Amino acid sequence: MPVIHLVRHGQASFGARTAQGYDVLSDLGRRQAEAAGAELARRAPRDPVVVCGTLSRQRDTAGIIVEAAGLTGPPRTDPRWNEYDHLDLLRRYGAAPAGAPADSRSVQPLLDRALLAWIGDADEGGWRRFASGAADALRELADGLGPGRDAVVVTSGGVLAALCGGLLSAPPAGVVALNRVAVNAAITTVVAGSSGISLLSFNDHAHVTGDRRELLTYR
């Protein structure tokens, strides 16, 4: 039964005023990616396919993981694993007042409300396209894995929330709750069997706790 490890990228430059500025791993994010790579090496995925989104923070995290885990690279890229633009989301749904502070504690409630509004929007080109694209990418990846082969995917918190929310048939508020607690470089694991794709674990971040607690971040 193929196992797919879905890894959230390492910490990026939270608080940047543009999406491009945010799309850069911090030094801490690089250390988180190394920790995730070491954890994946311990799990020893079988001849894994490595895939990531096209965003810089995802590609850089994937490259570090490949090296740290001793996997075969370079990773394949697929834009369906990309994150939504959280700055655009805040602007479009009126959740970010002018001059609002950019620290994660103050922005998170605004992002929660914007994401909930986006999920509830009937626009076919919005959340529905985003979530269905991620689900299609996961299904196609699983279908392409032969017996005895696993996969590692580097993606983002919103994609993970969409996928896990779908697998759990979670309501919109549940999807937002999943997105809120996504840990940088955490590993979510799904298995692909004859009955379809099933969620085995969500947001496993034991590799950034204990004596490595300084690596634990959510944004």
Side-chain angles (χ1 to χ4, degrees):
M1 183 180 298
V3 176
I4 302 174
H5 300 289
L6 304 165
V7 186
R8 189 186 177 202
H9 63 76
Q11 183 193 63
S13 302
F14 186 86
R17 294 296 183 180
T18 66
Q20 292 75 20
Y22 175 72
D23 195 22
V24 179
L25 279 186
S26 66
D27 290 340
L28 178 58
R30 293 182 175 278
R31 292 172 59 202
Q32 291 167 336
E34 290 173 353
E39 171 60 19
L40 287 168
R42 187 191 68 80
R43 298 186 185 194
R46 302 164 297 174
D47 187 23
V49 174
V50 183
V51 187
C52 64
T54 65
L55 301 175
S56 294
R57 61 189 183 274
Q58 297 170 334
R59 290 187 287 107
D60 290 346
T61 298
I64 293 169
I65 285 175
V66 164
E67 183 174 356
L71 305 180
T72 301
R76 297 184 340 213
T77 58
D78 183 337
R80 292 177 296 180
W81 295 108
N82 288 358
E83 181 66 295
Y84 56 79
D85 183 343
H86 72 286
L87 295 175
D88 179 64
L89 199 64
L90 289 168
R91 284 191 294 267
R92 284 196 290 127
Y93 288 93
D103 63 281
S104 60
R105 183 171 297 180
S106 60
V107 169
Q108 188 60 56
L110 302 177
L111 182 59
D112 287 352
R113 288 197 291 271
L115 184 56
L116 190 61
W118 188 38
I119 294 172
D121 197 322
D123 180 10
E124 291 288 344
W127 170 260
R128 294 183 186 182
R129 178 179 294 178
F130 173 79
S132 64
D136 288 345
L138 178 61
R139 185 167 49 252
E140 290 171 20
L141 175 61
D143 289 345
L145 294 173
R149 193 168 198 195
D150 299 327
V152 173
V153 179
V154 177
T155 183
S156 295
V159 174
L160 292 168
L163 290 174
C164 293
L167 291 172
L168 296 172
S169 299
V175 175
V176 173
L178 292 170
N179 183 73
R180 185 188 308 122
V181 299
V183 170
N184 290 117
I187 302 171
T188 291
T189 303
V190 301
V191 293
S194 57
S195 60
I197 297 173
S198 300
L199 180 64
L200 190 61
S201 67
F202 169 71
N203 207 35
D204 184 353
H205 57 282
H207 49 287
V208 292
T209 60
D211 59 0
R212 290 168 292 185
R213 191 180 306 275
E214 76 278 2
L215 299 181
L216 178 62
T217 61
Y218 295 85
R219 296 289 176 265

